[in-house]
Every structure is written in structure tokens, then in C-alpha cells.
Amino acid sequence: MNAESRTPKVACVGSYILDVLGRPIDALPHGQTTVMIDEIRITAAGTAGGTSVDLARLGADVIAIGAVGDDEVGDFLVALLERNGVATGYLRRKEGVPTSATILPIHPSGDRPAWHVRGANSIFEQADVPWEAVATCDFVHLGGVSALPRFDGQPSLEVLRYAKRRGITTTADCLGVKRDDTLEILRPCLPYVDIFMPNMNEALRITGRAAVADAARMFLDLGARCVIVKMGADGCFIADESERERIPAFDVTPVDSTGCGDAFCAGVILGTWLGWDISRCAELGSAAAALTLGGLGSDAGIRNLADTVEFMKKGRCRRTDGQEIVLKGPA
Ligand SMILES: Nc1ncnc2c1ncn2[C@@H]1O[C@H](COP(=O)(O)OP(=O)(O)OP(=O)(O)O)[C@@H](O)[C@H]1O
Ligand SMILES: [Mg+2]
């Protein structure tokens, strides 16, 4: 898998969203009042879109696979992806449908309430997948499990199975838990997922378990090769057949947590490509996430792989249980 002379090629399949963010916002102005704020940004986001931008920044060759509308929001989203080096030729433009978009007023604490238009992501379907292009990839990342009504279940299984049969490494992430039968739609897919990376709320809600370790165990029992549960400021929990481990988060002051999970996945994918062991991959994911936390929007902070690895080596970790945790760092 590790070919140092080559860049990894990754298909990011799933949710593509245009985010409009402003900060700091702690209340809605009344009537026609205008309130001055520090910053407004527009970014390419979504569980596939955010990860695609982060991966491109980290040096991967990325193709976007998903759906956008034929509106100006879609034009803008495509332009932003292109500007970041993501290939957009396989994104389907859906006629007469709005592009999925979110407005995020970011609170001074970093909290991020949101208004969302579901749009084209809700009609992304199996017929939109460019199979020959997928076959040329080293990784397939499925971003948006449970938030893709026409792609969850059988179509997701088809793409994951297609990838695994070709020796492609597969990763998957959720976008909230939008349906009660998420465990059922995941069940057939998990044997074809190499690294499953839900966040803690998603893992517990999907499995109905009370503890992260039990949720991770259930995903492993259902066939996932490795599970990494993202736990916000508490870091992440890794479980595979040989080990279970908690990796702490970096000690950073959050500006905006939008896209942390997407950045985490990008770091894990890049680390896997580099042939690092899974805990180092998670450290790279945590470093990418911590960099993203320092600015507004899901694309904030990450510049390139060298800077991210540098941050990973030098960053201070949160202390948990009063113990200092020393990261192993890259091999
Ligand atoms: N407050 C924080 N301080 C330090 N690191 C953080 C913080 N919040 C998130 N992270 C880092 O980001 C990673 C992923 O974040 P999180 O667990 O929130 O994922 P997520 O819920 O999938 O994110 P998203 O909201 O982007 O979907 C964490 O494992 C951690 O490394
Ligand atoms: Mg997430």
C-alpha cells in the first residue's frame, strides 16, 4: 500500500455541502439590526467534501463523487473544491435541485448551531458512481453514512464491495444518525470497511450501547477491520482485533469545531497510505483535526503534510486522568 514515490489516489464518496459560517455570533439580531462580526467564510464541506479538501491539502490525489445542484451554490462549491485541488469532473449536477448547504453562526465558545438545506445529497444514488474511476483509486472514503437516503444500504454496500474486490482500502464516516435503522443499513457494509470512524454520539446511538468500547466491539463483531471512535476533546478510541487504545486530543483552544471529524479522517487515511501503524494514523488525524479547530470553517488550519506532521510531533496533548501522555510520533 505504501508507495513513497507516488501520491495516494482517494475517492471521497458521499455528502458535499457548501458551508457559510460567521463568527462570533451569540444571538440573532432583532428586526433589521446589523451586527458587526469578525469573520464570514464560505467553504467546501460535508463528510465527503470536507475530507476531500483536507486530503488534497495533505497531498493526496482526490476525486469527488457525490451530487450537487445546478444552482449558483453548486457552482461555488465546485469552484472551491477545484481551487483546493480536488477533481470534480465526476460530481453529478442534479437539475432543478438545490445544492446541499448549511449556515453556521459560530458561538464565541466554538459551539455551532446550524440551518441546513438537504438538497442534492438526498438524491445521490448508485447510478451516479463512476465505477471505472473508483477502480483506479487506492482508497475509497464513504462520508455521510445514514445521511444519504438513496445511497445508504445497498448502494453503499455495492461501492464498498467493488472497492474491496480490487484491493482498495475503504474507510467510512457518519453524518449524524439520521435514521433509526442505521445499524441495519451498516450491517452488510461493515465486512467491507477497513476503518470505520463514527463519532461517539453516532457510535452509541447506532449500536444502542452505553460505552464506547462496547460500541466499537459491536462494529468489529459485525466485520469492520478497525474502528476509531472520535470523542471530541477527549480524543479517540481505537479498536481492532489486536488492540484497544485511547489517543488523547491535542491541547488547543477551539475557535470553531466545524470539520474536525472530516480532518481526522483525512489524517488517518494519509497515515495509512504512509504505512504507519493505526495509533500513529490516529495521531495524524488528531493533529489535522486540531489544526482545523484553530480557525473558522472545515478547511481552516491544514496547509500540507509536512506542517501537520510537525504539529503532531510538537503539539501538546491534553492530560487525561492526571497523566501526561506522550505521543509516539511518526516512525
Ligand atoms: N475541543 C477539542 N480539542 C482538541 N481536539 C479536538 C476537540 N474537538 C475535536 N477534537 C479533535 O477532533 C477529532 C474529531 O472530532 P469529533 O470527535 O468532534 O468528530 P466529529 O463529531 O465527527 O466531528 P464533525 O463535527 O466534524 O463531524 C477528535 O478525535 C479530536 O482529535
Ligand atoms: Mg463527524
Side-chain angles (χ1 to χ4, degrees), residues 47 173-175 199 202 230 261-262:
T47 327
D173 187 10
C174 299
L175 181 48
N199 70 25
E202 291 156 351
K230 295 168 288 180
D262 307 339

Coordinates of all heavy atoms in Angstrom, one line a residue, residues 47 173-175 199 202 230 261-262, ligand 2:
T47 N -19.3 15.5 4.8 CA -18.4 14.4 5.3 C -17.5 13.8 4.3 O -16.4 13.3 4.5 CB -19.3 13.3 6.0 OG1 -20.4 13.9 6.6 CG2 -18.5 12.6 7.0
D173 N -17.4 7.2 7.4 CA -17.7 8.1 8.5 C -19.2 8.4 8.4 O -19.8 8.3 7.3 CB -16.9 9.4 8.4 CG -17.0 10.3 9.5 OD1 -17.6 10.0 10.5 OD2 -16.5 11.5 9.4
C174 N -19.8 8.8 9.5 CA -21.2 9.1 9.5 C -21.4 10.6 9.5 O -20.5 11.4 9.6 CB -21.9 8.6 10.8 SG -21.7 6.9 11.0
L175 N -22.7 11.1 9.2 CA -23.0 12.5 9.3 C -24.3 12.5 10.2 O -25.4 12.6 9.7 CB -23.3 13.1 8.0 CG -23.6 14.6 7.9 CD1 -22.7 15.4 8.7 CD2 -23.6 15.0 6.4
N199 N -18.3 9.3 15.2 CA -18.0 10.0 16.5 C -18.7 9.2 17.6 O -19.5 8.3 17.3 CB -18.3 11.5 16.4 CG -19.8 11.8 16.4 OD1 -20.6 11.0 16.8 ND2 -20.1 13.0 15.9
E202 N -22.6 9.1 17.5 CA -23.1 8.3 16.5 C -22.9 6.8 16.8 O -23.8 6.0 16.7 CB -22.3 8.6 15.2 CG -22.7 10.0 14.6 CD -21.6 10.6 13.7 OE1 -20.5 10.1 13.6 OE2 -21.9 11.6 13.1
K230 N -14.3 8.8 17.3 CA -13.9 10.1 17.6 C -14.6 10.7 18.8 O -15.8 10.6 18.9 CB -14.1 11.0 16.4 CG -13.3 10.6 15.2 CD -13.8 11.3 13.9 CE -15.1 10.7 13.4 NZ -15.6 11.4 12.2
G261 N -14.0 16.3 12.5 CA -14.1 14.9 12.2 C -13.7 14.6 10.8 O -13.0 13.5 10.5
D262 N -14.0 15.5 9.8 CA -13.5 15.3 8.4 C -12.0 15.3 8.3 O -11.4 14.5 7.6 CB -14.1 16.4 7.5 CG -15.6 16.5 7.6 OD1 -16.2 15.6 8.1 OD2 -16.1 17.6 7.3
Ligands
MG2 MG -18.5 13.7 12.0

